[in-house]
mmCIF file with all atom_site columns, all heavy atoms in Angstrom:
data_model
loop_
_atom_site.group_PDB
_atom_site.id
_atom_site.type_symbol
_atom_site.label_atom_id
_atom_site.label_alt_id
_atom_site.label_comp_id
_atom_site.label_asym_id
_atom_site.label_entity_id
_atom_site.label_seq_id
_atom_site.pdbx_PDB_ins_code
_atom_site.Cartn_x
_atom_site.Cartn_y
_atom_site.Cartn_z
_atom_site.occupancy
_atom_site.B_iso_or_equiv
_atom_site.pdbx_formal_charge
_atom_site.auth_seq_id
_atom_site.auth_comp_id
_atom_site.auth_asym_id
_atom_site.auth_atom_id
_atom_site.pdbx_PDB_model_num
ATOM 1   N N   . LEU A 1 288 ? -5.328  -93.323  165.231 1.00 0.00 ? 315 LEU A N   1
ATOM 2   C CA  . LEU A 1 288 ? -6.206  -94.296  166.017 1.00 0.00 ? 315 LEU A CA  1
ATOM 3   C C   . LEU A 1 288 ? -7.489  -94.483  165.332 1.00 0.00 ? 315 LEU A C   1
ATOM 4   O O   . LEU A 1 288 ? -7.984  -95.680  165.420 1.00 0.00 ? 315 LEU A O   1
ATOM 5   C CB  . LEU A 1 288 ? -6.274  -93.756  167.440 1.00 0.00 ? 315 LEU A CB  1
ATOM 6   C CG  . LEU A 1 288 ? -5.010  -93.607  168.261 1.00 0.00 ? 315 LEU A CG  1
ATOM 7   C CD1 . LEU A 1 288 ? -5.207  -93.059  169.546 1.00 0.00 ? 315 LEU A CD1 1
ATOM 8   C CD2 . LEU A 1 288 ? -4.363  -94.969  168.386 1.00 0.00 ? 315 LEU A CD2 1
ATOM 9   N N   . ALA A 1 289 ? -8.052  -93.473  164.766 1.00 0.00 ? 316 ALA A N   1
ATOM 10  C CA  . ALA A 1 289 ? -9.316  -93.670  164.062 1.00 0.00 ? 316 ALA A CA  1
ATOM 11  C C   . ALA A 1 289 ? -9.163  -94.606  162.816 1.00 0.00 ? 316 ALA A C   1
ATOM 12  O O   . ALA A 1 289 ? -10.013 -95.405  162.589 1.00 0.00 ? 316 ALA A O   1
ATOM 13  C CB  . ALA A 1 289 ? -9.810  -92.308  163.639 1.00 0.00 ? 316 ALA A CB  1
ATOM 14  N N   . ALA A 1 290 ? -8.073  -94.427  162.083 1.00 0.00 ? 317 ALA A N   1
ATOM 15  C CA  . ALA A 1 290 ? -7.720  -95.312  161.038 1.00 0.00 ? 317 ALA A CA  1
ATOM 16  C C   . ALA A 1 290 ? -7.596  -96.723  161.504 1.00 0.00 ? 317 ALA A C   1
ATOM 17  O O   . ALA A 1 290 ? -8.078  -97.749  160.758 1.00 0.00 ? 317 ALA A O   1
ATOM 18  C CB  . ALA A 1 290 ? -6.537  -94.863  160.244 1.00 0.00 ? 317 ALA A CB  1
ATOM 19  N N   . HIS A 1 291 ? -6.964  -96.953  162.603 1.00 0.00 ? 318 HIS A N   1
ATOM 20  C CA  . HIS A 1 291 ? -6.754  -98.326  163.220 1.00 0.00 ? 318 HIS A CA  1
ATOM 21  C C   . HIS A 1 291 ? -8.146  -98.963  163.538 1.00 0.00 ? 318 HIS A C   1
ATOM 22  O O   . HIS A 1 291 ? -8.355  -100.052 163.182 1.00 0.00 ? 318 HIS A O   1
ATOM 23  C CB  . HIS A 1 291 ? -5.895  -98.259  164.471 1.00 0.00 ? 318 HIS A CB  1
ATOM 24  C CG  . HIS A 1 291 ? -4.459  -98.244  164.304 1.00 0.00 ? 318 HIS A CG  1
ATOM 25  N ND1 . HIS A 1 291 ? -3.827  -99.318  163.722 1.00 0.00 ? 318 HIS A ND1 1
ATOM 26  C CD2 . HIS A 1 291 ? -3.557  -97.420  164.522 1.00 0.00 ? 318 HIS A CD2 1
ATOM 27  C CE1 . HIS A 1 291 ? -2.629  -99.149  163.601 1.00 0.00 ? 318 HIS A CE1 1
ATOM 28  N NE2 . HIS A 1 291 ? -2.330  -97.925  164.126 1.00 0.00 ? 318 HIS A NE2 1
ATOM 29  N N   . ALA A 1 292 ? -9.059  -98.068  164.067 1.00 0.00 ? 319 ALA A N   1
ATOM 30  C CA  . ALA A 1 292 ? -10.381 -98.631  164.406 1.00 0.00 ? 319 ALA A CA  1
ATOM 31  C C   . ALA A 1 292 ? -11.175 -99.015  163.159 1.00 0.00 ? 319 ALA A C   1
ATOM 32  O O   . ALA A 1 292 ? -11.856 -100.063 163.102 1.00 0.00 ? 319 ALA A O   1
ATOM 33  C CB  . ALA A 1 292 ? -11.245 -97.525  165.143 1.00 0.00 ? 319 ALA A CB  1
ATOM 34  N N   . TYR A 1 293 ? -11.059 -98.124  162.121 1.00 0.00 ? 320 TYR A N   1
ATOM 35  C CA  . TYR A 1 293 ? -11.729 -98.517  160.852 1.00 0.00 ? 320 TYR A CA  1
ATOM 36  C C   . TYR A 1 293 ? -11.112 -99.753  160.186 1.00 0.00 ? 320 TYR A C   1
ATOM 37  O O   . TYR A 1 293 ? -11.922 -100.590 159.661 1.00 0.00 ? 320 TYR A O   1
ATOM 38  C CB  . TYR A 1 293 ? -11.637 -97.290  159.885 1.00 0.00 ? 320 TYR A CB  1
ATOM 39  C CG  . TYR A 1 293 ? -12.334 -97.562  158.562 1.00 0.00 ? 320 TYR A CG  1
ATOM 40  C CD1 . TYR A 1 293 ? -13.716 -97.492  158.432 1.00 0.00 ? 320 TYR A CD1 1
ATOM 41  C CD2 . TYR A 1 293 ? -11.574 -97.883  157.392 1.00 0.00 ? 320 TYR A CD2 1
ATOM 42  C CE1 . TYR A 1 293 ? -14.305 -97.678  157.247 1.00 0.00 ? 320 TYR A CE1 1
ATOM 43  C CE2 . TYR A 1 293 ? -12.167 -98.028  156.245 1.00 0.00 ? 320 TYR A CE2 1
ATOM 44  C CZ  . TYR A 1 293 ? -13.539 -97.938  156.062 1.00 0.00 ? 320 TYR A CZ  1
ATOM 45  O OH  . TYR A 1 293 ? -14.117 -98.250  154.876 1.00 0.00 ? 320 TYR A OH  1
ATOM 46  N N   . ALA A 1 294 ? -9.835  -99.853  160.152 1.00 0.00 ? 321 ALA A N   1
ATOM 47  C CA  . ALA A 1 294 ? -9.171  -101.050 159.577 1.00 0.00 ? 321 ALA A CA  1
ATOM 48  C C   . ALA A 1 294 ? -9.508  -102.321 160.378 1.00 0.00 ? 321 ALA A C   1
ATOM 49  O O   . ALA A 1 294 ? -9.755  -103.387 159.752 1.00 0.00 ? 321 ALA A O   1
ATOM 50  C CB  . ALA A 1 294 ? -7.719  -100.824 159.560 1.00 0.00 ? 321 ALA A CB  1
ATOM 51  N N   . GLY A 1 295 ? -9.627  -102.221 161.674 1.00 0.00 ? 322 GLY A N   1
ATOM 52  C CA  . GLY A 1 295 ? -9.990  -103.421 162.503 1.00 0.00 ? 322 GLY A CA  1
ATOM 53  C C   . GLY A 1 295 ? -11.398 -103.817 162.286 1.00 0.00 ? 322 GLY A C   1
ATOM 54  O O   . GLY A 1 295 ? -11.781 -104.927 162.348 1.00 0.00 ? 322 GLY A O   1
ATOM 55  N N   . ARG A 1 296 ? -12.304 -102.806 161.954 1.00 0.00 ? 323 ARG A N   1
ATOM 56  C CA  . ARG A 1 296 ? -13.739 -103.192 161.651 1.00 0.00 ? 323 ARG A CA  1
ATOM 57  C C   . ARG A 1 296 ? -13.895 -103.795 160.318 1.00 0.00 ? 323 ARG A C   1
ATOM 58  O O   . ARG A 1 296 ? -14.628 -104.780 160.120 1.00 0.00 ? 323 ARG A O   1
ATOM 59  C CB  . ARG A 1 296 ? -14.555 -101.939 161.795 1.00 0.00 ? 323 ARG A CB  1
ATOM 60  C CG  . ARG A 1 296 ? -16.038 -102.157 161.452 1.00 0.00 ? 323 ARG A CG  1
ATOM 61  C CD  . ARG A 1 296 ? -16.873 -100.910 161.700 1.00 0.00 ? 323 ARG A CD  1
ATOM 62  N NE  . ARG A 1 296 ? -16.740 -100.332 162.965 1.00 0.00 ? 323 ARG A NE  1
ATOM 63  C CZ  . ARG A 1 296 ? -17.268 -99.230  163.411 1.00 0.00 ? 323 ARG A CZ  1
ATOM 64  N NH1 . ARG A 1 296 ? -18.037 -98.474  162.517 1.00 0.00 ? 323 ARG A NH1 1
ATOM 65  N NH2 . ARG A 1 296 ? -17.130 -98.839  164.626 1.00 0.00 ? 323 ARG A NH2 1
ATOM 66  N N   . VAL A 1 297 ? -13.037 -103.269 159.349 1.00 0.00 ? 324 VAL A N   1
ATOM 67  C CA  . VAL A 1 297 ? -13.165 -103.888 157.904 1.00 0.00 ? 324 VAL A CA  1
ATOM 68  C C   . VAL A 1 297 ? -12.564 -105.287 157.881 1.00 0.00 ? 324 VAL A C   1
ATOM 69  O O   . VAL A 1 297 ? -13.183 -106.266 157.383 1.00 0.00 ? 324 VAL A O   1
ATOM 70  C CB  . VAL A 1 297 ? -12.562 -102.983 156.899 1.00 0.00 ? 324 VAL A CB  1
ATOM 71  C CG1 . VAL A 1 297 ? -12.497 -103.577 155.546 1.00 0.00 ? 324 VAL A CG1 1
ATOM 72  C CG2 . VAL A 1 297 ? -13.341 -101.623 156.933 1.00 0.00 ? 324 VAL A CG2 1
ATOM 73  N N   . THR A 1 298 ? -11.235 -105.422 158.262 1.00 0.00 ? 325 THR A N   1
ATOM 74  C CA  . THR A 1 298 ? -10.552 -106.621 158.226 1.00 0.00 ? 325 THR A CA  1
ATOM 75  C C   . THR A 1 298 ? -9.911  -106.924 159.583 1.00 0.00 ? 325 THR A C   1
ATOM 76  O O   . THR A 1 298 ? -8.906  -106.339 159.873 1.00 0.00 ? 325 THR A O   1
ATOM 77  C CB  . THR A 1 298 ? -9.384  -106.604 157.132 1.00 0.00 ? 325 THR A CB  1
ATOM 78  O OG1 . THR A 1 298 ? -8.646  -105.456 157.362 1.00 0.00 ? 325 THR A OG1 1
ATOM 79  C CG2 . THR A 1 298 ? -10.039 -106.555 155.703 1.00 0.00 ? 325 THR A CG2 1
ATOM 80  N N   . PRO A 1 299 ? -10.522 -107.718 160.396 1.00 0.00 ? 326 PRO A N   1
ATOM 81  C CA  . PRO A 1 299 ? -9.921  -108.048 161.757 1.00 0.00 ? 326 PRO A CA  1
ATOM 82  C C   . PRO A 1 299 ? -8.586  -108.642 161.559 1.00 0.00 ? 326 PRO A C   1
ATOM 83  O O   . PRO A 1 299 ? -8.318  -109.339 160.629 1.00 0.00 ? 326 PRO A O   1
ATOM 84  C CB  . PRO A 1 299 ? -10.952 -108.921 162.347 1.00 0.00 ? 326 PRO A CB  1
ATOM 85  C CG  . PRO A 1 299 ? -12.197 -108.695 161.577 1.00 0.00 ? 326 PRO A CG  1
ATOM 86  C CD  . PRO A 1 299 ? -11.746 -108.430 160.201 1.00 0.00 ? 326 PRO A CD  1
ATOM 87  N N   . GLY A 1 300 ? -7.698  -108.356 162.583 1.00 0.00 ? 327 GLY A N   1
ATOM 88  C CA  . GLY A 1 300 ? -6.362  -109.000 162.519 1.00 0.00 ? 327 GLY A CA  1
ATOM 89  C C   . GLY A 1 300 ? -5.362  -108.032 161.906 1.00 0.00 ? 327 GLY A C   1
ATOM 90  O O   . GLY A 1 300 ? -5.685  -106.838 161.598 1.00 0.00 ? 327 GLY A O   1
ATOM 91  N N   . LEU A 1 301 ? -4.068  -108.448 161.873 1.00 0.00 ? 328 LEU A N   1
ATOM 92  C CA  . LEU A 1 301 ? -3.040  -107.621 161.270 1.00 0.00 ? 328 LEU A CA  1
ATOM 93  C C   . LEU A 1 301 ? -3.085  -107.711 159.775 1.00 0.00 ? 328 LEU A C   1
ATOM 94  O O   . LEU A 1 301 ? -2.824  -108.748 159.206 1.00 0.00 ? 328 LEU A O   1
ATOM 95  C CB  . LEU A 1 301 ? -1.753  -108.092 161.833 1.00 0.00 ? 328 LEU A CB  1
ATOM 96  C CG  . LEU A 1 301 ? -0.529  -107.184 161.585 1.00 0.00 ? 328 LEU A CG  1
ATOM 97  C CD1 . LEU A 1 301 ? -0.652  -105.882 162.208 1.00 0.00 ? 328 LEU A CD1 1
ATOM 98  C CD2 . LEU A 1 301 ? 0.827   -107.839 162.039 1.00 0.00 ? 328 LEU A CD2 1
ATOM 99  N N   . SER A 1 302 ? -3.379  -106.667 159.127 1.00 0.00 ? 329 SER A N   1
ATOM 100 C CA  . SER A 1 302 ? -3.571  -106.618 157.627 1.00 0.00 ? 329 SER A CA  1
ATOM 101 C C   . SER A 1 302 ? -2.956  -105.344 157.058 1.00 0.00 ? 329 SER A C   1
ATOM 102 O O   . SER A 1 302 ? -2.643  -104.391 157.750 1.00 0.00 ? 329 SER A O   1
ATOM 103 C CB  . SER A 1 302 ? -5.091  -106.712 157.318 1.00 0.00 ? 329 SER A CB  1
ATOM 104 O OG  . SER A 1 302 ? -5.743  -105.532 157.775 1.00 0.00 ? 329 SER A OG  1
ATOM 105 N N   . PRO A 1 303 ? -2.676  -105.352 155.762 1.00 0.00 ? 330 PRO A N   1
ATOM 106 C CA  . PRO A 1 303 ? -2.112  -104.178 155.127 1.00 0.00 ? 330 PRO A CA  1
ATOM 107 C C   . PRO A 1 303 ? -2.948  -102.896 155.259 1.00 0.00 ? 330 PRO A C   1
ATOM 108 O O   . PRO A 1 303 ? -2.521  -101.801 155.111 1.00 0.00 ? 330 PRO A O   1
ATOM 109 C CB  . PRO A 1 303 ? -1.889  -104.564 153.671 1.00 0.00 ? 330 PRO A CB  1
ATOM 110 C CG  . PRO A 1 303 ? -1.739  -106.023 153.771 1.00 0.00 ? 330 PRO A CG  1
ATOM 111 C CD  . PRO A 1 303 ? -2.703  -106.513 154.807 1.00 0.00 ? 330 PRO A CD  1
ATOM 112 N N   . THR A 1 304 ? -4.280  -103.112 155.441 1.00 0.00 ? 331 THR A N   1
ATOM 113 C CA  . THR A 1 304 ? -5.209  -101.906 155.572 1.00 0.00 ? 331 THR A CA  1
ATOM 114 C C   . THR A 1 304 ? -4.873  -101.135 156.867 1.00 0.00 ? 331 THR A C   1
ATOM 115 O O   . THR A 1 304 ? -5.242  -99.846  156.944 1.00 0.00 ? 331 THR A O   1
ATOM 116 C CB  . THR A 1 304 ? -6.659  -102.370 155.640 1.00 0.00 ? 331 THR A CB  1
ATOM 117 O OG1 . THR A 1 304 ? -6.790  -103.332 156.652 1.00 0.00 ? 331 THR A OG1 1
ATOM 118 C CG2 . THR A 1 304 ? -7.053  -103.090 154.355 1.00 0.00 ? 331 THR A CG2 1
ATOM 119 N N   . ALA A 1 305 ? -4.216  -101.765 157.827 1.00 0.00 ? 332 ALA A N   1
ATOM 120 C CA  . ALA A 1 305 ? -3.772  -100.931 159.027 1.00 0.00 ? 332 ALA A CA  1
ATOM 121 C C   . ALA A 1 305 ? -2.530  -100.121 158.836 1.00 0.00 ? 332 ALA A C   1
ATOM 122 O O   . ALA A 1 305 ? -2.152  -99.396  159.821 1.00 0.00 ? 332 ALA A O   1
ATOM 123 C CB  . ALA A 1 305 ? -3.685  -101.920 160.190 1.00 0.00 ? 332 ALA A CB  1
ATOM 124 N N   . LEU A 1 306 ? -1.910  -100.235 157.717 1.00 0.00 ? 333 LEU A N   1
ATOM 125 C CA  . LEU A 1 306 ? -0.632  -99.518  157.540 1.00 0.00 ? 333 LEU A CA  1
ATOM 126 C C   . LEU A 1 306 ? -0.836  -98.024  157.565 1.00 0.00 ? 333 LEU A C   1
ATOM 127 O O   . LEU A 1 306 ? 0.044   -97.376  158.208 1.00 0.00 ? 333 LEU A O   1
ATOM 128 C CB  . LEU A 1 306 ? 0.005   -99.948  156.125 1.00 0.00 ? 333 LEU A CB  1
ATOM 129 C CG  . LEU A 1 306 ? 1.368   -99.326  155.874 1.00 0.00 ? 333 LEU A CG  1
ATOM 130 C CD1 . LEU A 1 306 ? 2.408   -99.695  157.027 1.00 0.00 ? 333 LEU A CD1 1
ATOM 131 C CD2 . LEU A 1 306 ? 1.855   -99.771  154.453 1.00 0.00 ? 333 LEU A CD2 1
ATOM 132 N N   . PRO A 1 307 ? -1.847  -97.424  156.987 1.00 0.00 ? 334 PRO A N   1
ATOM 133 C CA  . PRO A 1 307 ? -2.062  -95.936  157.154 1.00 0.00 ? 334 PRO A CA  1
ATOM 134 C C   . PRO A 1 307 ? -2.211  -95.476  158.534 1.00 0.00 ? 334 PRO A C   1
ATOM 135 O O   . PRO A 1 307 ? -1.669  -94.424  158.943 1.00 0.00 ? 334 PRO A O   1
ATOM 136 C CB  . PRO A 1 307 ? -3.224  -95.607  156.224 1.00 0.00 ? 334 PRO A CB  1
ATOM 137 C CG  . PRO A 1 307 ? -3.321  -96.769  155.220 1.00 0.00 ? 334 PRO A CG  1
ATOM 138 C CD  . PRO A 1 307 ? -2.758  -97.957  155.971 1.00 0.00 ? 334 PRO A CD  1
ATOM 139 N N   . GLY A 1 308 ? -2.879  -96.321  159.330 1.00 0.00 ? 335 GLY A N   1
ATOM 140 C CA  . GLY A 1 308 ? -3.004  -95.993  160.716 1.00 0.00 ? 335 GLY A CA  1
ATOM 141 C C   . GLY A 1 308 ? -1.684  -95.960  161.505 1.00 0.00 ? 335 GLY A C   1
ATOM 142 O O   . GLY A 1 308 ? -1.446  -95.124  162.358 1.00 0.00 ? 335 GLY A O   1
#
Side-chain angles (χ1 to χ4, degrees):
L315 295 177
H318 275 298
Y320 179 77
R323 180 178 300 179
V324 174
T325 55
L328 191 62
S329 61
T331 56
L333 184 60

